[in-house]
mmCIF file of all heavy atoms in Angstrom:
data_model
loop_
_atom_site.group_PDB
_atom_site.id
_atom_site.type_symbol
_atom_site.label_atom_id
_atom_site.label_comp_id
_atom_site.label_asym_id
_atom_site.label_seq_id
_atom_site.Cartn_x
_atom_site.Cartn_y
_atom_site.Cartn_z
ATOM 1 N N VAL A 109 -16.532 39.500 18.564
ATOM 2 C CA VAL A 109 -15.409 39.043 17.790
ATOM 3 C C VAL A 109 -14.151 39.623 18.427
ATOM 4 O O VAL A 109 -13.111 39.029 18.579
ATOM 5 C CB VAL A 109 -15.576 39.462 16.309
ATOM 6 C CG1 VAL A 109 -14.288 39.234 15.591
ATOM 7 C CG2 VAL A 109 -16.673 38.697 15.689
ATOM 8 N N THR A 110 -14.218 40.936 18.759
ATOM 9 C CA THR A 110 -13.099 41.604 19.390
ATOM 10 C C THR A 110 -12.709 40.963 20.714
ATOM 11 O O THR A 110 -11.488 40.698 20.984
ATOM 12 C CB THR A 110 -13.444 43.148 19.646
ATOM 13 O OG1 THR A 110 -13.815 43.740 18.410
ATOM 14 C CG2 THR A 110 -12.264 43.927 20.195
ATOM 15 N N THR A 111 -13.740 40.718 21.524
ATOM 16 C CA THR A 111 -13.548 40.006 22.804
ATOM 17 C C THR A 111 -12.805 38.702 22.655
ATOM 18 O O THR A 111 -11.854 38.357 23.339
ATOM 19 C CB THR A 111 -14.844 39.925 23.523
ATOM 20 O OG1 THR A 111 -15.398 41.145 23.795
ATOM 21 C CG2 THR A 111 -14.637 39.193 24.897
ATOM 22 N N VAL A 112 -13.443 37.841 21.806
ATOM 23 C CA VAL A 112 -12.864 36.448 21.620
ATOM 24 C C VAL A 112 -11.484 36.451 21.075
ATOM 25 O O VAL A 112 -10.630 35.729 21.501
ATOM 26 C CB VAL A 112 -13.846 35.640 20.762
ATOM 27 C CG1 VAL A 112 -13.222 34.348 20.279
ATOM 28 C CG2 VAL A 112 -15.172 35.428 21.477
ATOM 29 N N LEU A 113 -11.206 37.313 20.074
ATOM 30 C CA LEU A 113 -9.882 37.296 19.442
ATOM 31 C C LEU A 113 -8.846 37.736 20.454
ATOM 32 O O LEU A 113 -7.800 37.159 20.558
ATOM 33 C CB LEU A 113 -9.923 38.184 18.144
ATOM 34 C CG LEU A 113 -10.638 37.637 17.009
ATOM 35 C CD1 LEU A 113 -10.553 38.625 15.796
ATOM 36 C CD2 LEU A 113 -10.120 36.305 16.564
ATOM 37 N N THR A 114 -9.159 38.845 21.170
ATOM 38 C CA THR A 114 -8.223 39.382 22.120
ATOM 39 C C THR A 114 -8.012 38.416 23.278
ATOM 40 O O THR A 114 -6.855 38.086 23.640
ATOM 41 C CB THR A 114 -8.695 40.727 22.701
ATOM 42 O OG1 THR A 114 -8.985 41.665 21.605
ATOM 43 C CG2 THR A 114 -7.638 41.347 23.635
ATOM 44 N N GLY A 115 -9.071 37.949 23.844
ATOM 45 C CA GLY A 115 -8.965 36.990 24.948
ATOM 46 C C GLY A 115 -8.314 35.660 24.540
ATOM 47 O O GLY A 115 -7.444 35.101 25.312
ATOM 48 N N ALA A 116 -8.621 35.088 23.351
ATOM 49 C CA ALA A 116 -8.006 33.849 22.876
ATOM 50 C C ALA A 116 -6.513 34.023 22.667
ATOM 51 O O ALA A 116 -5.738 33.143 23.003
ATOM 52 C CB ALA A 116 -8.655 33.372 21.704
ATOM 53 N N PHE A 117 -6.143 35.116 22.086
ATOM 54 C CA PHE A 117 -4.715 35.395 21.823
ATOM 55 C C PHE A 117 -3.977 35.552 23.110
ATOM 56 O O PHE A 117 -2.892 34.817 23.333
ATOM 57 C CB PHE A 117 -4.526 36.637 21.046
ATOM 58 C CG PHE A 117 -3.133 37.162 20.882
ATOM 59 C CD1 PHE A 117 -2.228 36.448 19.935
ATOM 60 C CD2 PHE A 117 -2.641 38.171 21.624
ATOM 61 C CE1 PHE A 117 -0.948 36.804 19.789
ATOM 62 C CE2 PHE A 117 -1.275 38.570 21.433
ATOM 63 C CZ PHE A 117 -0.464 37.876 20.550
ATOM 64 N N ILE A 118 -4.438 36.294 24.027
ATOM 65 C CA ILE A 118 -3.608 36.544 25.321
ATOM 66 C C ILE A 118 -3.664 35.241 26.107
ATOM 67 O O ILE A 118 -2.695 34.849 26.737
ATOM 68 C CB ILE A 118 -4.291 37.707 26.116
ATOM 69 C CG1 ILE A 118 -3.975 39.016 25.350
ATOM 70 C CG2 ILE A 118 -3.769 37.793 27.459
ATOM 71 C CD1 ILE A 118 -4.594 40.235 25.971
ATOM 72 N N GLY A 119 -4.780 34.559 26.173
ATOM 73 C CA GLY A 119 -4.899 33.352 26.918
ATOM 74 C C GLY A 119 -3.985 32.148 26.374
ATOM 75 O O GLY A 119 -3.314 31.476 27.169
ATOM 76 N N THR A 120 -3.951 32.008 25.105
ATOM 77 C CA THR A 120 -3.180 31.025 24.487
ATOM 78 C C THR A 120 -1.671 31.371 24.681
ATOM 79 O O THR A 120 -0.928 30.502 24.967
ATOM 80 C CB THR A 120 -3.486 31.002 22.942
ATOM 81 O OG1 THR A 120 -4.876 30.641 22.751
ATOM 82 C CG2 THR A 120 -2.596 29.912 22.231
ATOM 83 N N LEU A 121 -1.337 32.577 24.430
ATOM 84 C CA LEU A 121 0.044 33.001 24.571
ATOM 85 C C LEU A 121 0.547 32.825 26.107
ATOM 86 O O LEU A 121 1.520 32.271 26.375
ATOM 87 C CB LEU A 121 0.272 34.481 24.289
ATOM 88 C CG LEU A 121 1.712 35.001 24.246
ATOM 89 C CD1 LEU A 121 2.606 34.214 23.220
ATOM 90 C CD2 LEU A 121 1.676 36.553 23.896
ATOM 91 N N ALA A 122 -0.282 33.201 27.038
ATOM 92 C CA ALA A 122 0.060 33.126 28.388
ATOM 93 C C ALA A 122 0.199 31.614 28.776
ATOM 94 O O ALA A 122 1.138 31.215 29.489
ATOM 95 C CB ALA A 122 -0.926 33.783 29.319
ATOM 96 N N GLY A 123 -0.751 30.814 28.387
ATOM 97 C CA GLY A 123 -0.823 29.323 28.789
ATOM 98 C C GLY A 123 0.275 28.567 28.159
ATOM 99 O O GLY A 123 0.960 27.707 28.782
ATOM 100 N N TYR A 124 0.610 28.913 26.871
ATOM 101 C CA TYR A 124 1.593 28.087 26.187
ATOM 102 C C TYR A 124 3.127 28.522 26.609
ATOM 103 O O TYR A 124 3.975 27.652 26.902
ATOM 104 C CB TYR A 124 1.495 28.246 24.644
ATOM 105 C CG TYR A 124 2.499 27.405 23.948
ATOM 106 C CD1 TYR A 124 2.429 26.132 23.845
ATOM 107 C CD2 TYR A 124 3.575 28.072 23.228
ATOM 108 C CE1 TYR A 124 3.450 25.391 23.209
ATOM 109 C CE2 TYR A 124 4.553 27.339 22.576
ATOM 110 C CZ TYR A 124 4.448 25.944 22.485
ATOM 111 O OH TYR A 124 5.428 25.229 21.889
ATOM 112 N N ARG A 125 3.304 29.881 26.659
ATOM 113 C CA ARG A 125 4.674 30.275 27.005
ATOM 114 C C ARG A 125 4.988 30.054 28.410
ATOM 115 O O ARG A 125 6.105 29.664 28.749
ATOM 116 C CB ARG A 125 4.863 31.752 26.676
ATOM 117 C CG ARG A 125 4.757 32.101 25.152
ATOM 118 C CD ARG A 125 5.878 31.469 24.407
ATOM 119 N NE ARG A 125 5.940 31.764 23.036
ATOM 120 C CZ ARG A 125 6.785 31.256 22.200
ATOM 121 N NH1 ARG A 125 7.610 30.310 22.543
ATOM 122 N NH2 ARG A 125 6.668 31.573 20.850
ATOM 123 N N GLY A 126 4.057 30.287 29.319
ATOM 124 C CA GLY A 126 4.262 30.103 30.818
ATOM 125 C C GLY A 126 5.324 31.091 31.282
ATOM 126 O O GLY A 126 5.671 32.124 30.615
ATOM 127 N N GLY A 127 5.885 30.824 32.465
ATOM 128 C CA GLY A 127 6.986 31.567 32.979
ATOM 129 C C GLY A 127 6.579 33.059 33.116
ATOM 130 O O GLY A 127 5.499 33.465 33.630
ATOM 131 N N TRP A 128 7.549 33.935 32.891
ATOM 132 C CA TRP A 128 7.335 35.406 33.122
ATOM 133 C C TRP A 128 6.321 35.931 32.138
ATOM 134 O O TRP A 128 5.609 36.922 32.531
ATOM 135 C CB TRP A 128 8.699 36.200 32.919
ATOM 136 C CG TRP A 128 9.160 36.192 31.574
ATOM 137 C CD1 TRP A 128 10.097 35.335 30.968
ATOM 138 C CD2 TRP A 128 8.862 37.131 30.517
ATOM 139 N NE1 TRP A 128 10.360 35.698 29.694
ATOM 140 C CE2 TRP A 128 9.696 36.852 29.389
ATOM 141 C CE3 TRP A 128 8.081 38.257 30.455
ATOM 142 C CZ2 TRP A 128 9.557 37.605 28.229
ATOM 143 C CZ3 TRP A 128 8.026 39.017 29.336
ATOM 144 C CH2 TRP A 128 8.756 38.661 28.201
ATOM 145 N N VAL A 129 6.126 35.397 30.968
ATOM 146 C CA VAL A 129 5.045 35.808 30.011
ATOM 147 C C VAL A 129 3.689 35.560 30.626
ATOM 148 O O VAL A 129 2.829 36.486 30.574
ATOM 149 C CB VAL A 129 5.311 35.091 28.663
ATOM 150 C CG1 VAL A 129 4.071 35.473 27.781
ATOM 151 C CG2 VAL A 129 6.482 35.429 27.985
ATOM 152 N N ASP A 130 3.498 34.402 31.137
ATOM 153 C CA ASP A 130 2.194 34.025 31.807
ATOM 154 C C ASP A 130 1.967 34.980 32.973
ATOM 155 O O ASP A 130 0.904 35.540 33.158
ATOM 156 C CB ASP A 130 2.228 32.624 32.235
ATOM 157 C CG ASP A 130 0.910 32.179 32.853
ATOM 158 O OD1 ASP A 130 -0.101 32.757 32.490
ATOM 159 O OD2 ASP A 130 0.943 31.258 33.671
ATOM 160 N N SER A 131 2.944 35.199 33.833
ATOM 161 C CA SER A 131 2.806 35.974 34.978
ATOM 162 C C SER A 131 2.517 37.466 34.657
ATOM 163 O O SER A 131 1.573 38.036 35.181
ATOM 164 C CB SER A 131 4.101 35.965 35.839
ATOM 165 O OG SER A 131 4.348 34.671 36.330
ATOM 166 N N LEU A 132 3.162 37.935 33.630
ATOM 167 C CA LEU A 132 3.022 39.412 33.192
ATOM 168 C C LEU A 132 1.552 39.496 32.706
ATOM 169 O O LEU A 132 0.787 40.451 33.025
ATOM 170 C CB LEU A 132 4.008 39.719 32.241
ATOM 171 C CG LEU A 132 3.905 41.171 31.714
ATOM 172 C CD1 LEU A 132 4.116 42.157 32.748
ATOM 173 C CD2 LEU A 132 4.938 41.420 30.605
ATOM 174 N N LEU A 133 1.171 38.663 31.745
ATOM 175 C CA LEU A 133 -0.100 38.770 31.109
ATOM 176 C C LEU A 133 -1.276 38.574 32.131
ATOM 177 O O LEU A 133 -2.276 39.288 32.075
ATOM 178 C CB LEU A 133 -0.274 37.821 30.017
ATOM 179 C CG LEU A 133 0.645 38.058 28.777
ATOM 180 C CD1 LEU A 133 0.482 36.951 27.690
ATOM 181 C CD2 LEU A 133 0.304 39.421 28.123
ATOM 182 N N MET A 134 -1.138 37.633 32.995
ATOM 183 C CA MET A 134 -2.194 37.315 34.002
ATOM 184 C C MET A 134 -2.313 38.491 35.019
ATOM 185 O O MET A 134 -3.404 38.742 35.516
ATOM 186 C CB MET A 134 -1.940 35.988 34.718
ATOM 187 C CG MET A 134 -2.209 34.809 33.826
ATOM 188 S SD MET A 134 -3.928 34.805 33.229
ATOM 189 C CE MET A 134 -3.791 35.388 31.482
ATOM 190 N N ARG A 135 -1.176 39.063 35.420
ATOM 191 C CA ARG A 135 -1.213 40.240 36.238
ATOM 192 C C ARG A 135 -2.004 41.402 35.622
ATOM 193 O O ARG A 135 -2.705 42.268 36.194
ATOM 194 C CB ARG A 135 0.097 40.719 36.665
ATOM 195 C CG ARG A 135 0.865 39.645 37.583
ATOM 196 C CD ARG A 135 0.202 39.258 38.869
ATOM 197 N NE ARG A 135 -0.952 38.356 38.683
ATOM 198 C CZ ARG A 135 -0.776 37.100 38.419
ATOM 199 N NH1 ARG A 135 0.390 36.535 38.281
ATOM 200 N NH2 ARG A 135 -1.902 36.325 38.269
ATOM 201 N N PHE A 136 -1.725 41.563 34.329
ATOM 202 C CA PHE A 136 -2.445 42.491 33.448
ATOM 203 C C PHE A 136 -3.975 42.243 33.467
ATOM 204 O O PHE A 136 -4.796 43.180 33.661
ATOM 205 C CB PHE A 136 -1.903 42.628 32.092
ATOM 206 C CG PHE A 136 -2.675 43.640 31.169
ATOM 207 C CD1 PHE A 136 -2.675 45.003 31.468
ATOM 208 C CD2 PHE A 136 -3.264 43.142 30.028
ATOM 209 C CE1 PHE A 136 -3.372 45.861 30.641
ATOM 210 C CE2 PHE A 136 -3.920 43.968 29.266
ATOM 211 C CZ PHE A 136 -3.947 45.371 29.534
ATOM 212 N N VAL A 137 -4.321 40.983 33.318
ATOM 213 C CA VAL A 137 -5.680 40.610 33.320
ATOM 214 C C VAL A 137 -6.299 40.892 34.673
ATOM 215 O O VAL A 137 -7.470 41.408 34.802
ATOM 216 C CB VAL A 137 -5.811 39.061 33.051
ATOM 217 C CG1 VAL A 137 -7.243 38.630 33.344
ATOM 218 C CG2 VAL A 137 -5.553 38.806 31.527
ATOM 219 N N ASP A 138 -5.584 40.528 35.720
ATOM 220 C CA ASP A 138 -6.133 40.873 37.122
ATOM 221 C C ASP A 138 -6.310 42.377 37.293
ATOM 222 O O ASP A 138 -7.257 42.774 38.003
ATOM 223 C CB ASP A 138 -5.091 40.310 38.158
ATOM 224 C CG ASP A 138 -5.022 38.717 38.196
ATOM 225 O OD1 ASP A 138 -6.051 38.160 37.655
ATOM 226 O OD2 ASP A 138 -4.057 38.236 38.608
ATOM 227 N N THR A 139 -5.371 43.196 36.758
ATOM 228 C CA THR A 139 -5.503 44.637 36.941
ATOM 229 C C THR A 139 -6.763 45.135 36.208
ATOM 230 O O THR A 139 -7.476 46.023 36.748
ATOM 231 C CB THR A 139 -4.264 45.275 36.389
ATOM 232 O OG1 THR A 139 -3.124 44.899 37.061
ATOM 233 C CG2 THR A 139 -4.361 46.821 36.531
ATOM 234 N N MET A 140 -7.034 44.645 34.971
ATOM 235 C CA MET A 140 -8.131 44.997 34.220
ATOM 236 C C MET A 140 -9.484 44.627 34.998
ATOM 237 O O MET A 140 -10.438 45.330 34.906
ATOM 238 C CB MET A 140 -8.162 44.345 32.822
ATOM 239 C CG MET A 140 -7.005 44.831 31.929
ATOM 240 S SD MET A 140 -7.428 46.565 31.289
ATOM 241 C CE MET A 140 -8.791 46.287 30.219
ATOM 242 N N LEU A 141 -9.378 43.465 35.609
ATOM 243 C CA LEU A 141 -10.587 42.933 36.327
ATOM 244 C C LEU A 141 -10.874 43.715 37.531
ATOM 245 O O LEU A 141 -12.043 43.744 38.161
ATOM 246 C CB LEU A 141 -10.505 41.482 36.715
ATOM 247 C CG LEU A 141 -10.662 40.470 35.497
ATOM 248 C CD1 LEU A 141 -10.177 39.081 35.893
ATOM 249 C CD2 LEU A 141 -12.038 40.547 34.914
#
Side-chain angles (χ1 to χ4, degrees):
V109 172
T110 304
T111 296
V112 167
L113 291 180
T114 305
F117 172 75
I118 291 178
T120 302
L121 184 62
Y124 180 74
R125 291 298 183 187
W128 67 269
V129 175
D130 183 27
S131 297
L132 180 63
L133 291 175
M134 286 302 101
R135 297 299 76 76
F136 177 61
V137 170
D138 293 339
T139 301
M140 291 287 290
L141 288 171

